[in-house]
Amino acid sequence: MLDDKFEVQVDEPHGPGVPAAGSILYLDGVSVSFDGFKALNALSLILAPGELRTIVGPNGAGKTTMMDVITGKTRPDEGDVLFDEKVDLTRLDESEIANLGIGRKFQKPTVFEHLSVFENLELALKADRGAFATLMFWLSGEQRDTIDATMARIGLADKSRHLAGALSHGQKQWLEIGMLLMQDQRLLLLDEPVAGMTDSETEATAQLILDLARDGSRSLVVVEHDMEFVRALGAKVTVLHEGSVLAEGTLETIQADSKVIEVYLGR
Amino acid sequence: MNAPSLSARLLAADDRRLWLGMAGCAIAFLVVVPMLNLAMPPDSALHMPNYMVTLLGKYLCYATLALAMDLVWGYCGVLSLGHGAFFALGGYAMGMFMMRSIGARGVYGNADLPDFMVFLNWKELPWYWMGFDHFWFAALMALAVPGALAFVFGWLAFRSRITGVYLSIITQAMTYALMLAFFRNEMGFGGNNGLTDFKDILGFPLAEPSTKLGLYMLSALVLGLAFLVARFVVTSKLGRIMMAVRDAESRVRFLGYSPTWVKLFGFTLSAMLAGLAGALYVPQVGIINPSEFSPANSIEIAIWVAVGGRGTLVGAVLGAFAVNGAKTWLTGAAPELWLFLLGALFIAVTLGLPKGLLGLWGQIRRKEKAHA
């Protein structure tokens, strides 16, 4: 479904060569404003294939807006957003971007409440998305096993037939992560995946994310407020502030950075 | 698309109660009613008069229409308040065929032109009447015209992400515009009077009780078939995507599905079922005119579905029978009260019975179980 028309020549602010080369996600000078408020202000960010990245920042720093831009929900006023070196995401809509291999978990868990846990995962399952293909779709034994395995992995094996709307907040978070797993995406964006979870659930989620990052076949961007959780992930941290990158590095470097202390930890 | 899917899904995915219910309805509508009509002597208390058979036939068409409405409203979350237009278009297609079947038996004895065209002093048949001499063509058009209109209209609306009350309003505008257009004599569909004075259909005189019984039984068969089609759709993965679109449309996009095509499928299929219902309705009532396009008719369809219980299919059928039964009775007993009752019914159902009669039945059963 991707034509050449989506492949663009990027301008090269960083000198000669293809700046997005070797990246899975490339944001350059991305700005978004809502009624004069600059939600993103010349944001630039590069993510390598297989990388796990955590993003922190105070409220209003632009974390969710950044995810909206990457997933096609919001169009940037200016800047380049490239996936896999050359696919221009600013020209695609949400479903096209999802089909490219970018999955998203929302800040507020959104699952289909009138469908069962099993059915939620079945909808997310990687398969033909066309109307007629889904009309004639018949779950194979293999696919059923994949769903069962995912349910076991997210700790909902005994809730297969329960309506998603009846799950606890934490369970909904897990179900949504499970839906991302079913989609088998190459880039996962997780917006506050442990919000509302108990300590043990948070720990288990950190473990799951580390498991996902380990084999290097997918890249993950995790937005989180919980510093313990960020520490547990032990990944490179990007600090956003007022719509652009304030600092980048390990958690230790970040926490020692005077600018970060001033705008974030200092509060 | 593997071979066992169709039969396996129709049999496995459903509980036995549903199939017993369908068998029961089939016996009642296709065996008992014809027997009461034909085998019972006219003076017997059990005899079913001919007018009652036609009345039931009308209800069956309404039920098919309600089923179509439920598919798009109850499952896709698209509250179309213009479904009467698709029903009317299907009716006009069949009406045009029956007009052509009149031949030289009209008032003016003109074999080439319907009476109203002779009256308007038209010299030849407009191009869009071509082909309606053939039953197969008219039957095809009864499905294709509503389907094509729904497809184009839906594509424009859904692609622009028009949802909720805005979509309802433009569907009302659509049916209203069609009503005004069909009122015009220049349109060539009989204007104000519409199409009527039909004599026969495929050689069967419409005045004959046996033809009426046949049309009634065909309506019952079509309702059953439409139910199976709708059931197949809503129990498929597509049906679950429809419900997902209904509950959280934007979320569905991030899973890689396009809500536009999901809704477009539901809307187009629904319009074709509505057209089919209209095509069966017109030979039974003997007339089709622009008032069938009136916005109020379309709203009434939504009320049938709401009363029966939307998103259940069975509820839509139930609602169509219940509300139309009440309408027949009340417009006979106290005609001035009907519209008040209809309005009150809608408010009562919206406030007190969001899941309709079917939901009420479920509540009662759960209570009984809890007491037992």
Side-chain angles (χ1 to χ4, degrees):
Chain A
M1 68 185 304
L2 273 180
D3 311 323
D4 292 339
K5 68 176 175 177
F6 293 121
E7 300 186 3
V8 290
Q9 289 297 312
V10 288
D11 45 33
E12 298 166 2
H14 308 302
V18 184
S23 70
I24 183 87
L25 182 68
Y26 175 91
L27 279 76
D28 182 34
V30 176
S31 294
V32 175
S33 50
F34 301 116
D35 297 325
F37 170 70
K38 281 229 165 199
L40 292 183
N41 190 3
L43 174 71
S44 298
L45 185 102
I46 297 180
L47 193 72
E51 187 180 345
L52 169 63
R53 177 77 61 96
T54 40
I55 294 189
V56 299
N59 284 328
K63 304 182 299 287
T64 299
T65 308
M66 182 193 78
M67 294 210 167
D68 286 347
V69 166
I70 299 169
T71 54
K73 195 178 177 200
T74 301
R75 294 260 178 269
D77 301 329
E78 53 184 324
D80 295 318
V81 184
L82 301 179
F83 176 64
D84 206 11
E85 299 185 359
K86 55 189 183 294
V87 184
D88 184 358
L89 296 181
T90 63
R91 296 204 204 179
L92 302 174
D93 72 17
E94 300 96 316
S95 59
E96 287 167 326
I97 291 173
N99 285 322
L100 272 180
I102 300 180
R104 175 173 184 182
K105 197 209 80 64
F106 288 79
Q107 188 174 346
K108 178 176 170 283
T110 36
V111 292
F112 303 115
E113 309 225 326
H114 288 98
L115 299 179
S116 70
V117 168
F118 186 92
E119 287 168 337
N120 267 277
L121 293 172
E122 186 205 18
L123 287 200
L125 177 77
K126 194 169 188 164
D128 193 329
R129 255 51 173 156
F132 288 99
T134 50
L135 179 63
M136 292 300 168
F137 178 79
W138 187 250
L139 198 67
S140 72
E142 206 177 310
Q143 287 167 324
R144 185 174 294 273
D145 292 345
T146 315
I147 296 177
D148 286 340
T150 303
M151 279 194 298
R153 195 168 188 186
I154 58 176
L156 295 175
D158 56 336
K159 299 261 188 310
S160 172
R161 295 168 77 89
H162 286 227
L163 286 186
L167 297 178
S168 74
H169 187 84
Q171 286 170 331
K172 283 182 190 171
Q173 297 269 43
W174 277 66
L175 177 55
E176 213 183 348
I177 294 173
M179 287 163 77
L180 275 183
L181 296 179
M182 295 305 303
Q183 284 177 271
D184 193 20
Q185 303 288 45
R186 292 168 59 201
L187 172 61
L188 306 185
L189 308 174
L190 308 174
D191 201 348
E192 301 196 18
V194 296
M197 282 191 179
T198 63
D199 287 350
S200 62
E201 283 173 333
T202 301
E203 230 167 84
T205 307
Q207 204 48 53
L208 176 64
I209 290 173
L210 287 171
D211 277 352
L212 293 176
R214 190 159 298 134
D215 67 3
S217 67
R218 46 178 97 73
S219 317
L220 293 106
V221 175
V222 181
V223 165
E224 194 46 71
H225 281 298
D226 185 333
M227 279 304 156
E228 278 314 303
F229 179 69
V230 171
R231 191 184 309 280
L233 293 183
K236 186 172 168 183
V237 180
T238 298
V239 184
L240 290 193
H241 177 58
E242 291 179 351
S244 46
V245 175
L246 186 70
E248 230 168 48
T250 62
L251 189 60
E252 287 68 38
T253 4
I254 296 294
Q255 283 179 325
D257 190 306
S258 59
K259 285 181 297 182
V260 176
I261 293 169
E262 191 185 327
V263 306
Y264 192 164
L265 303 171
R267 277 178 197 208
Chain B
M1 207 200 285
N2 31 8
S5 77
L6 185 93
S7 53
R9 202 153 78 200
L10 282 177
L11 293 172
D14 302 319
D15 47 349
R16 280 206 0 237
R17 258 192 12 232
L18 182 87
W19 292 103
L20 285 176
M22 279 212 62
C25 287
I27 292 171
F29 282 113
L30 293 173
V31 180
V32 176
V33 168
M35 269 175 51
L36 294 182
N37 177 240
L38 294 175
M40 287 291 160
D43 51 358
S44 157
L46 287 173
H47 175 72
M48 178 168 283
N50 292 330
Y51 82 87
M52 192 75 106
V53 172
T54 301
L55 192 65
L56 277 179
K58 264 174 62 176
Y59 289 177
L60 289 166
C61 295
Y62 289 148
T64 306
L65 178 58
L67 203 62
M69 180 71 183
D70 196 25
L71 193 59
V72 80
W73 183 29
Y75 288 90
C76 301
V78 176
L79 175 54
S80 162
L81 292 179
H83 253 52
F86 304 125
F87 181 78
L89 286 171
Y92 264 97
M94 196 46 65
M96 285 162 82
F97 168 69
M98 290 187 294
M99 275 318 254
R100 298 301 293 145
S101 304
I102 295 172
R105 289 172 292 169
V107 178
Y108 297 106
N110 188 325
D112 298 326
L113 290 181
D115 275 353
F116 74 89
M117 291 186 191
V118 181
F119 182 76
L120 290 171
N121 217 3
W122 288 16
K123 295 297 172 220
E124 60 180 34
L125 204 62
W127 61 267
Y128 48 83
W129 275 75
M130 300 291 170
F132 280 95
D133 312 37
H134 307 290
F135 178 77
W136 67 265
F137 184 81
L140 184 70
M141 286 299 124
L143 292 172
V145 172
L149 175 66
F151 185 85
V152 172
F153 185 90
W155 190 72
L156 292 170
F158 301 147
R159 189 187 56 134
S160 312
R161 303 194 179 178
I162 296 170
T163 56
V165 64
Y166 302 100
L167 188 103
S168 304
I169 290 169
I170 60 168
T171 52
Q172 279 266 285
M174 174 192 77
T175 193
Y176 189 65
L178 282 168
M179 179 177 76
L180 295 183
F182 274 73
F183 263 128
R184 287 157 39 92
N185 281 328
E186 300 80 35
M187 277 285 281
F189 294 108
N192 204 0
N193 299 319
L195 310 175
T196 188
D197 282 337
F198 310 131
K199 308 288 186 217
D200 48 28
I201 184 164
L202 291 169
F204 297 103
L206 287 166
E208 281 293 319
S210 61
T211 310
K212 291 185 174 176
L213 187 65
L215 284 167
Y216 153 81
M217 289 175 76
L218 193 62
S219 306
L221 279 174
V222 164
L223 174 61
L225 205 67
F227 184 83
L228 289 182
V229 168
R231 180 93 195 150
F232 179 73
V233 171
V234 302
T235 55
S236 74
K237 187 174 169 187
L238 179 62
R240 290 188 284 281
I241 300 168
M242 285 174 170
M243 288 183 255
V245 167
R246 177 193 68 193
D247 297 338
E249 179 167 346
S250 61
R251 182 68 182 84
V252 175
R253 293 184 213 278
F254 294 100
L255 279 186
Y257 296 102
S258 160
T260 302
W261 291 102
V262 173
K263 290 196 282 187
L264 205 49
F265 180 91
F267 195 54
T268 307
L269 177 65
S270 172
M272 289 167 78
L273 288 178
L276 186 62
L280 274 163
Y281 175 81
V282 170
Q284 300 187 67
V285 297
I287 183 167
I288 173 80
N289 64 31
S291 68
E292 290 293 337
F293 285 106
S294 91
N297 277 20
S298 294
I299 293 174
E300 220 173 286
I301 304 166
I303 297 178
W304 304 342
V305 176
V307 167
R310 68 194 147 113
T312 57
L313 299 184
V314 176
V317 174
L318 194 70
F321 273 93
V323 178
N324 282 296
K327 184 179 184 176
T328 303
W329 170 70
L330 204 71
T331 46
E336 66 282 355
L337 287 182
W338 168 242
L339 282 180
F340 290 105
L341 185 86
L342 188 67
L345 195 63
F346 189 53
I347 294 171
V349 166
T350 312
L351 294 180
L353 286 177
K355 290 180 177 169
L357 291 174
L358 220 57
L360 184 68
W361 172 244
Q363 263 177 17
I364 293 170
R365 298 234 338 184
R366 268 195 298 281
K367 262 199 195 133
E368 276 175 357
K369 261 187 199 161
H371 281 290

